[in-house]
Every structure is written in structure tokens, then in C-alpha cells.
Amino acid sequence: MIAFVGILIWLPSMPVKEKMSYGKQIGILRKPQLWLNIVTVIFIFAAMFSVYSYFAEYLGQVTHMNGSWISIMLMVFGLIMILGNFLFGELLHKSMTKTVIMFPLLFAVIYLFVYYLGSYFIPMVVIVLIWGAVHSGGLIVSQAWLTTEAKEAPEFGNSLLVSFSNLGITIGTSVGGWFISHLGIHQLIWSGIMFALLAFLMIAIKIKASKSSSEQVSVR
């Protein structure tokens, strides 16, 4: 309710220059490159939440933190995400393509640190700080990447982000749960690494496809 009141009071009214038909908005779904971006978003969110969904369980069983420390880590994780938003916002402003390429690889590296140092208390506290900053980057990186192919219908593009990011969370959480039940809580990290690498693969395919399209246009 507080958020609603804040939006109602302070969000400026944006004049509608041109009313778009539903057909024109949905028409962007015919773009193959948009679907590459959508699949990337699914994999990024799956990478984020396949592990984060079991954050408290991991800290409890692997790092052996008690309930008080886990609560502190969750709070710190959330606070450091604010810093991550500013950091990745600046990086996207400098170079969207480089930031998007870097993000899943950086996430995979963070997860490797979690896997190999997760049983050590102090190192894990430090890793959580870095992890929180990187985790928040997934939100704005995904939004920036998807909207590059939805400029004709930005509002519809944002709705696609919400829908497919939730799908990614569902897939990631489900696969993470499978890893825990079949391989154990410590092996959960590999589910996140797997999705991060799949996201990187999709980004590489998209960039290559875009270059090929540009070259064909230049030849013509």
C-alpha cells in the first residue's frame, strides 16, 4: 500500500503520443531474436533462483550458520543488492553488450567460490556480500537485454520480462530442488552454474545472429 501511494503521488504522468493496437504489440513476438533474448532471461533467472531459493538451507547445512546469522546474511544480501543496482546500471550505461556477456560468467565464478569456500564461515560472509551485488544485476541486465528487442512495444516488453522471469524462477527452483534431493545440498551450486552457462550460450548465439543480420543488410 505504501508503494502504491508513492507511485500515485510521485510517478509522473507520461503522455501517450501514439496509441498502439494489441495486434501491433503482440506482433513483436514474430521476431526470432526477441525469443533468443526471452530464453536468455529465463536462464538468467533460473541461474539466480535455483540457488538463492535455498539460500538459508545452504548456509545452515553447509556453512553451519545458526538462525541469527542466517537472518543477518539475508538482510545484508538484500541491502547490498541496492549497491549492485547502481553498479550494474553504470556498467550497462558504458557498454550493454559487454555487461550482458560478462554477467553470467561472473555469476558462475561467484558460484564456484560458494561451492569451494561455502563450508568456511568468514569467507562465506564475504562471498555473500559480492553475491548479493551480482545477484541484483540479473534484474536490470535481463530487463535491458530483453527490451533491446521490444522497442516497438516497451510496455508489452516489460510484461514479457515479468512473465518469463517468473518462469525462470519456477524452472530454477524446481531444478535446484531436484539437485538437492538427488545429489545433496552442496551440489546445488552446479544447477546455478549450469543455467548461467546456458544463459551465456544464448547471449553468444544472439550476438552472432545479430552480426550475421547486419552483414547481410550491408551486402544488400
Side-chain angles (χ1 to χ4, degrees):
M1 288 301 298
I2 293 172
F4 170 75
V5 172
I7 291 171
L8 191 65
I9 295 173
W10 286 295
L11 189 68
S13 177
M14 302 297 289
V16 178
K17 296 180 180 179
E18 180 185 355
K19 186 176 181 181
M20 293 188 64
S21 66
Y22 290 116
K24 188 174 180 180
Q25 294 183 70
I26 295 173
I28 66 173
L29 294 175
R30 291 194 293 267
K31 298 169 63 176
Q33 292 190 0
L34 173 65
W35 284 101
L36 289 175
N37 286 23
I38 286 173
V39 175
T40 301
V41 167
I42 292 172
F43 285 147
I44 286 176
F45 273 82
M48 292 164 59
F49 286 90
S50 63
V51 179
Y52 179 72
S53 297
Y54 306 98
F55 182 85
E57 190 74 10
Y58 192 90
L59 293 181
Q61 292 194 32
V62 178
T63 315
H64 304 295
M65 290 186 179
N66 59 31
S68 297
W69 268 103
I70 291 172
S71 297
I72 291 171
M73 289 296 96
L74 284 166
M75 183 179 69
V76 168
F77 193 95
L79 290 174
I80 205 70
M81 283 179 65
I82 300 172
L83 176 63
N85 281 331
F86 287 105
L87 173 62
F88 278 91
E90 184 64 25
L91 291 173
L92 284 167
H93 180 70
K94 290 180 178 178
S95 176
M96 179 183 295
T97 302
K98 289 181 180 178
T99 302
V100 172
I101 291 172
M102 174 193 71
F103 179 77
L105 297 178
L106 180 60
F107 222 127
V109 170
I110 295 297
Y111 280 157
L112 286 174
F113 277 111
V114 173
Y115 182 80
Y116 288 107
L117 299 176
S119 58
Y120 300 97
F121 193 95
I122 299 301
M124 191 58 184
V125 171
V126 176
I127 290 168
V128 165
L129 296 175
I130 303 171
W131 183 5
V134 176
H135 184 90
S136 67
L139 308 175
I140 55 176
V141 166
S142 295
Q143 183 178 35
W145 190 238
L146 193 147
T147 52
T148 57
E149 292 294 338
K151 292 178 180 178
E152 304 92 332
E155 293 84 2
F156 182 56
N158 277 324
S159 71
L160 291 175
L161 174 69
V162 174
S163 299
F164 286 101
S165 62
N166 278 313
L167 177 60
I169 293 171
T170 303
I171 293 172
T173 304
S174 300
V175 172
W178 185 92
F179 268 73
I180 292 173
S181 63
H182 289 80
L183 303 173
I185 185 70
H186 193 204
Q187 305 306 318
L188 166 69
I189 302 303
W190 294 107
S191 67
I193 292 174
M194 176 187 71
F195 283 121
L197 294 178
L198 286 172
F200 174 77
L201 177 63
M202 294 307 303
I203 292 166
I205 292 172
K206 165 63 190 304
I207 292 173
K208 184 174 178 59
S210 297
K211 286 183 178 178
S212 298
S213 298
S214 298
E215 289 172 359
Q216 289 176 4
V217 171
S218 297
V219 171
R220 290 173 186 174

